[in-house]
Amino acid sequence: MKNILIVTNNMMPNSGIGRYSLSIVEQLRNLNVNHTVLTERDKYSGGKDEKNLLHSKVSAFNLIKNSFLVRRELKRCDNIHALDCWPYGVYAYLAVLGTQKKLFINGVGTYSVPSGSLLKTFFMRKAYKRSEKIFCISNYTRDRILEHMPYVKAEIVSLGTTKLPEVSHKQQEEYRKKYNFASQYPILLTVGAIKERKGQFETVQALYKLKDKHPNALYLMVGSTSDKSYITQIEKYVKEHGLGNNIKILSDVYSDTELAYLYSLCHVFLLNSNNIGAHFEGFGLVLLEAGQLGKPVIGSKGCGIEDVIRNGYNGYLTEQRNPEDIYEKLMLMLGEQYEILAKNSREFSKKFTWEHTVSSYVKYY
């Protein structure tokens, strides 16, 4: 069996790229694929196959230094797989120069599209040209890459979804006391960093309209609050429109069990992401997590979310930055179609497994 070198940012389960990387590595282990994982120095997850060698700050000096570190590790491996193009695919490209070793790169989202400085774009193009295969997590990501490089070998390999933990009766009681949201309807939920690209503000604006029909509605935003200006914008709107009892920001949800409880509590899950320049939503894994618990979903058109929502089947797609459209889809969803959408959402999420995802990689290794 070949030995694969995986290059990524981190494998920490409380970060988006970490959760994604960890899921891939765990499935490689399940499939008995020999592997080593290179991650950044300040982001050690404790994985037994993990080596924290990479310098985290991207600079010309570190680009060279990290490439040599990757090349040194590659001597013990047969092929290399970078889980995003910038900067990890570039490190991998520089590491394989002058060798016959295969290079694979995942096309994920914003940092997979050749854009930005001339130097960055130059090296990303070189990396893609040298790669044996580019595994794109959505049609949208693939199309964005092909706009810049129509001749590269890009293939759609969707992400899987990890089964959420069961919430015990004791834990349910504990969370019920902590949150005390059960009497509110409908409960809307978004999971992800609270920032413009995730579109929580437009959902808050839609909630204001929804409140006329459902005065007891509640919108839960679970995620990082590091974007202070965006949080201030939301808080100002909430105060001006009397939504204080209808909005909760939760920045301290650290366990998957607690997250599973909040998924189970909500009636509708939303991810109304916005494209901002070169930044876009590559897939929308949290929509599938919500689907595991039978929650119908609402998300944006014009990004990777289109691969996760089959419009009118497991949820509805909305125009970006359009609170009116979000409101209309919420009203439609909360009507007599709700139970069918919820059932379909649960079934649809079952199609996305890490076993299928990683097996698609391994056949090319």
Side-chain angles (χ1 to χ4, degrees):
M1 175 66 74
K2 285 184 163 53
N3 190 11
I4 307 300
L5 180 61
I6 302 292
V7 187
T8 188
N9 181 281
N10 74 83
M11 293 199 302
M12 301 168 72
N14 60 346
S15 78
I17 190 168
R19 200 179 184 92
Y20 144 74
S21 302
L22 180 61
S23 297
I24 290 171
V25 170
E26 286 180 339
Q27 191 57 45
L28 284 173
R29 198 174 297 134
N30 292 341
L31 293 172
N32 296 315
V33 177
N34 297 322
H35 61 278
T36 301
V37 186
L38 282 187
T39 58
E40 294 185 354
R41 292 187 172 196
D42 56 343
K43 297 169 183 174
Y44 183 54
S45 71
K48 66 177 182 179
D49 310 311
E50 182 180 0
K51 294 186 178 182
N52 292 92
L53 300 177
L54 303 177
H55 299 272
S56 57
K57 185 178 180 182
V58 179
S59 65
F61 177 73
N62 282 344
L63 186 68
I64 296 168
K65 198 166 185 178
N66 283 340
S67 298
F68 275 108
L69 290 169
V70 175
R71 190 179 183 91
R72 187 179 69 191
E73 290 300 319
L74 186 57
K75 289 178 182 178
R76 304 180 184 92
C77 301
D78 299 291
N79 298 318
I80 187 167
H81 187 168
L83 299 189
D84 204 346
C85 189
W86 181 257
Y88 312 103
V90 173
Y91 300 155
Y93 160 69
L94 293 171
V96 299
L97 283 178
T99 76
Q100 296 300 312
K101 296 186 178 186
K102 292 180 181 179
L103 166 63
F104 303 95
I105 301 175
N106 278 17
V108 181
T110 299
Y111 301 105
S112 300
V113 179
S115 63
S117 70
L118 290 176
L119 186 66
K120 175 185 172 185
T121 303
F122 171 79
F123 278 117
M124 289 180 73
R125 285 176 173 273
K126 287 287 188 181
Y128 279 142
K129 188 175 180 180
R130 172 63 171 77
S131 64
E132 185 79 14
K133 187 70 72 174
I134 304 164
F135 303 118
C136 297
I137 67 171
S138 67
N139 283 277
Y140 185 84
T141 298
R142 182 195 60 184
D143 292 347
R144 289 291 298 268
I145 293 171
L146 292 179
E147 282 174 13
H148 296 266
M149 304 187 70
Y151 48 84
V152 296
K153 293 170 279 189
E155 178 177 314
I156 306 298
V157 180
S158 299
L159 300 184
T161 180
T162 302
K163 190 177 187 313
L164 291 166
E166 297 285 337
V167 184
S168 69
H169 180 72
K170 182 180 178 182
Q171 289 168 323
Q172 287 181 32
E173 288 302 313
E174 176 189 331
Y175 296 141
R176 195 173 290 123
K177 289 176 183 176
K178 178 178 178 179
Y179 291 116
N180 195 28
F181 296 149
S183 62
Q184 296 191 255
Y185 177 85
I187 296 176
L188 316 178
L189 175 66
T190 297
V191 175
I194 303 170
K195 59 183 181 180
E196 184 181 359
R197 194 175 67 73
K198 295 295 183 180
Q200 288 93 342
F201 181 62
E202 285 81 11
T203 306
V204 170
Q205 291 175 298
L207 178 74
Y208 176 64
K209 286 205 68 175
L210 186 71
K211 191 180 173 185
D212 286 341
K213 303 284 186 182
H214 297 280
N216 210 26
L218 176 65
Y219 179 35
L220 304 177
M221 289 171 267
V222 175
S224 167
T225 56
S226 59
D227 189 338
K228 300 304 179 187
S229 62
Y230 192 66
I231 296 294
T232 300
Q233 180 186 12
I234 290 173
E235 290 175 342
K236 183 182 178 189
Y237 186 91
V238 167
K239 184 176 180 181
E240 289 174 350
H241 292 80
L243 294 172
N245 294 325
N246 305 94
I247 301 285
K248 297 290 181 187
I249 294 175
L250 306 174
S251 60
D252 59 348
V253 177
Y254 302 116
S255 78
D256 281 358
T257 305
E258 190 166 358
L259 186 58
Y261 174 77
L262 292 171
Y263 277 128
S264 69
L265 196 67
C266 79
H267 300 98
V268 179
F269 187 89
L270 304 98
L271 187 62
N272 298 116
S273 298
N274 300 312
N275 294 354
I276 303 174
H279 298 266
F280 62 92
E281 193 75 54
F283 190 66
L285 201 51
V286 287
L287 294 156
L288 294 177
E289 290 184 349
Q292 280 186 42
L293 295 171
K295 306 302 174 179
V297 292
I298 292 175
S300 300
K301 298 177 182 176
C303 63
I305 288 172
E306 291 183 340
D307 282 20
V308 186
I309 298 179
R310 191 180 297 170
N311 200 38
Y313 177 75
N314 63 325
Y316 293 108
L317 291 164
T318 58
E319 299 294 338
Q320 293 188 21
R321 302 183 187 280
N322 192 329
E324 180 67 30
D325 194 19
I326 298 169
Y327 163 73
E328 289 175 0
K329 295 306 189 321
L330 277 167
M331 289 301 296
L332 191 59
M333 181 171 282
L334 293 169
E336 26 182 76
Q337 292 187 356
Y338 181 85
E339 293 300 331
I340 295 172
L341 292 167
K343 179 175 177 286
N344 291 344
S345 190
R346 188 187 298 275
E347 290 304 310
F348 188 73
S349 72
K350 293 177 183 177
K351 299 175 185 291
F352 298 83
T353 69
W354 285 114
E355 182 179 5
H356 177 267
T357 300
V358 178
S359 294
S360 299
Y361 302 157
V362 171
K363 72 180 182 181
Y364 288 104
Y365 288 170

